[in-house]
Amino acid sequence: MNVDLIGNNINLEDLKIVGSEEWCVFEGLGIPAIKARVDSGAKTSSIQATNMKVFIRGAQEWVKFEVNPIQDNRSITIECEAKLIDRRTVKSSSGISEERFVIKTPMTLGEDSFEVELTLASRDTMEFRMLLGREALNNRYVVNPAKNFIIQEFTTAEVTSKYSNYFKEKTGLKIAILASNPELYSNKRLVEAGEARGHEMVFLNVEHAYMKLDAHSPQIRYRGGNILNEFDAIIPRIKPAVTFYACALIRQFDNLGVYCLNSAEAITQSRDKLFASQLFSKNDIHIPITGFAKSPMDTKDLIKMVNGAPLIIKLLESTQGKGVVLAETNKAAESVINAFKSVQTNILVQEFIKEANGQDIRCFVVNGKVIASMQRQAEKGEFRANIHQGGKASIIKITQEEKKLAIKAAKVMNLAVAGVDIIRSNKGPLLLEVNSSPGLEGIENATGKDIANSMIMAIESKLKVTIK
């Protein structure tokens, strides 16, 4: 048996065996169950924590913090507080040093209860919400890394029961996610956020729905003939390939009196990069200089019009950084532009903002407010900062000018939910794009904010539903 011995000068028979994963309980923090990765290579144990604030109680420092104890459910949040016993500089697995708060609190592992030191860490992107280090294991356990949950295992039903008080009673709202893939992070997060607030959440595959167009009894049906007539709201999460059909469905839902978080018209115009750019110009929203032409005879002047190479060439249907090309010389730009035109493909030509250094800002706007912002940094040698193109995300504090730009852009597009991409230039902030189905994974992980919950609350606000 492959066993890692933790505990010097201790008889092996006196020690219990733990697996590489175990369920821990922190009654003092109000955490009934949290899955921990047992790691004898780490000295101190750590737990995921956000919104940490130090305060004084009885002349001693305490810290308030929030824990999302279930890895796959950010909507369950436990508010905790504990005495602050230390501040330590800890080097993460990626080699980055950071100062962390340290607390001491009782922990229960199976039948045993004892005090452990915990560093409060941002573990949103980690597989486990907790790391159980060797200081907690010393003189108590040996580790069998080949097995999990040797001490105690909780079933999914048991974990759900332990956190039942964190789910709201049903409000009667029935909300559908209209999308293509139920396994995508964003779609799963919206379902769990809605259920956590007491709503019935349903996933609808765009391509499995069809319509009956009739003045007296219009309908939307789903594969098998089921009539979809009980929804209060729809959250469109539309991939570009199905925009036309999905927007027809959204209009049909709207005709049936169902609230759609983004309208079909708003989605359609946000997907049309040329029309969107014209709307931005009309409404005094500054964008990089952009050109559009049909004839190859105008290519040279088109390039000159956007201040020459290097320049960006975009397909009108591009998304997630795909279909976007950087032409570094005028000759290369002419070749790419004329190649696209020869196959009857519509493109935009746009000035290249060199001083941005491969960075842009994604602002997430919900109901006219910027609720989160992140900076995206392109990989070395890459000019596209999109997460799907390998860009790295980090939290950023935006300026008031950038905030006003993001809010105005979403308003001009008439989008209740929008991902607004901004680039910093020598001329001030410039608008790059407005996304009507912005992804949640990158910005939730970068900021630690529950954006899915904010989207559900936006629906509640519109439908005047109060959650107690």
Side-chain angles (χ1 to χ4, degrees), residues 39-178:
D39 185 0
S40 59
K43 180 181 178 183
T44 308
S45 303
S46 66
I47 194 168
Q48 179 268 347
T50 57
N51 298 325
M52 292 169 271
K53 295 180 181 178
V54 176
F55 66 100
I56 302 298
R57 176 180 290 169
Q60 291 184 314
E61 284 189 319
W62 284 60
V63 60
K64 290 182 179 178
F65 56 98
E66 295 177 353
V67 176
N68 303 118
I70 307 301
Q71 179 66 30
D72 297 326
N73 195 331
R74 194 187 296 268
S75 297
I76 295 177
T77 301
I78 310 291
E79 296 180 357
C80 309
E81 58 180 48
K83 188 185 297 183
L84 184 61
I85 66 167
D86 198 6
R87 290 177 170 85
R88 292 179 193 160
T89 300
V90 177
K91 183 176 287 187
S92 68
S93 57
S94 58
I96 300 174
S97 296
E98 61 178 357
E99 185 183 73
R100 292 184 185 172
F101 297 134
V102 184
I103 65 170
K104 183 177 284 188
T105 187
M107 182 186 80
T108 299
L109 187 57
E111 298 178 352
D112 300 324
S113 295
F114 48 91
E115 282 201 327
V116 294
E117 286 189 0
L118 294 173
T119 62
L120 306 183
S122 174
R123 299 185 57 83
D124 285 334
T125 59
M126 303 297 182
E127 185 179 357
F128 293 87
R129 293 306 203 197
M130 181 181 167
L131 196 71
L132 194 60
R134 64 176 179 270
E135 282 187 341
L137 302 170
N138 278 342
N139 302 330
R140 296 186 179 99
Y141 303 101
V142 290
V143 183
N144 180 359
K147 292 187 176 182
N148 297 329
F149 312 117
I150 295 174
I151 298 292
Q152 180 168 257
E153 182 169 9
F154 297 141
T155 66
T156 300
E158 287 173 329
V159 174
T160 300
S161 176
K162 290 176 183 293
Y163 287 100
S164 60
N165 291 337
Y166 291 89
F167 291 89
K168 308 291 190 301
E169 293 182 4
K170 292 287 185 182
T171 64
L173 281 189
K174 189 172 182 179
I175 303 172
I177 313 295
L178 186 65

Side-chain angles (χ1 to χ4, degrees), residues 20 102 149 194 204 244 285 441:
S20 62
V102 184
F149 312 117
L204 295 179
F244 178 81
I285 293 176
E441 185 170 12

Side-chain angles (χ1 to χ4, degrees), residues 196-457:
R197 295 188 65 80
H199 305 299
E200 181 181 353
M201 303 297 295
V202 178
F203 181 87
L204 295 179
N205 189 313
V206 171
E207 296 175 66
H208 294 176
Y210 52 100
M211 295 166 279
K212 175 189 176 187
L213 306 177
D214 178 76
H216 299 291
S217 57
Q219 292 177 347
I220 296 178
R221 296 195 178 197
Y222 204 62
R223 179 163 291 177
N226 296 317
I227 299 174
L228 304 179
N229 59 359
E230 298 178 352
F231 290 107
D232 299 289
I234 298 291
I235 302 176
R237 301 287 308 172
I238 308 304
K239 64 181 182 181
V242 295
T243 299
F244 178 81
Y245 187 69
C247 284
L249 284 171
I250 294 167
R251 285 192 294 271
Q252 188 78 344
F253 275 115
D254 182 63
N255 292 341
L256 294 172
V258 179
Y259 171 64
C260 300
L261 191 54
N262 277 337
S263 70
E265 291 72 23
I267 293 170
T268 299
Q269 66 185 17
S270 73
R271 291 278 165 87
D272 185 336
K273 286 183 170 55
L274 178 59
F275 182 39
S277 297
Q278 291 173 317
L279 282 177
F280 298 146
S281 297
K282 180 180 179 181
N283 288 275
D284 195 31
I285 293 176
H286 293 180
I287 62 175
I289 299 171
T290 302
F292 178 75
K294 183 67 175 174
S295 171
M297 300 295 291
D298 302 312
T299 299
K300 289 184 182 295
D301 193 46
L302 188 67
I303 293 171
K304 183 179 178 181
M305 190 169 64
V306 298
N307 295 328
L311 55 80
I312 303 295
I313 302 166
K314 290 182 177 181
L315 293 176
L316 289 188
E317 299 82 13
S318 64
T319 182
Q320 297 177 347
K322 298 174 184 175
V324 181
V325 178
L326 172 64
E328 297 189 6
T329 66
N330 285 355
K331 186 174 182 180
E334 284 185 43
S335 298
V336 174
I337 292 169
N338 290 333
F340 278 131
K341 288 180 179 177
S342 69
V343 291
Q344 303 298 308
T345 301
N346 289 319
I347 58 168
L348 291 178
V349 177
Q350 200 168 70
E351 72 171 321
F352 177 63
I353 308 301
K354 183 178 179 180
E355 61 268 24
N357 294 318
Q359 295 177 345
D360 69 14
I361 297 169
R362 162 61 63 89
C363 298
F364 208 104
V365 179
V366 178
N367 275 0
K369 294 181 180 179
V370 176
I371 63 169
S373 301
M374 67 174 174
Q375 177 176 278
R376 301 181 297 190
Q377 174 67 58
E379 283 189 317
K380 188 176 181 180
E382 174 61 74
F383 70 96
R384 296 167 296 181
N386 306 68
I387 303 299
H388 290 85
Q389 299 300 327
K392 303 298 182 184
S394 60
I395 193 168
I396 187 175
K397 185 175 182 179
I398 61 173
T399 65
Q400 282 298 316
E401 188 179 6
E402 289 162 346
K403 183 180 292 187
K404 289 179 181 177
L405 175 59
I407 292 170
K408 185 176 182 180
K411 185 177 181 180
V412 166
M413 289 284 102
N414 198 27
L415 290 167
V417 172
V420 181
D421 296 339
I422 294 171
I423 195 167
R424 288 174 172 171
S425 77
N426 293 335
K427 297 179 285 187
L430 301 175
L431 179 67
L432 289 179
E433 190 173 356
V434 178
N435 191 319
S436 58
S437 295
L440 305 186
E441 185 170 12
I443 198 163
E444 282 198 340
N445 288 335
T447 64
K449 293 187 177 180
D450 190 348
I451 293 174
N453 184 68
S454 297
M455 292 173 65
I456 300 298
M457 290 178 67

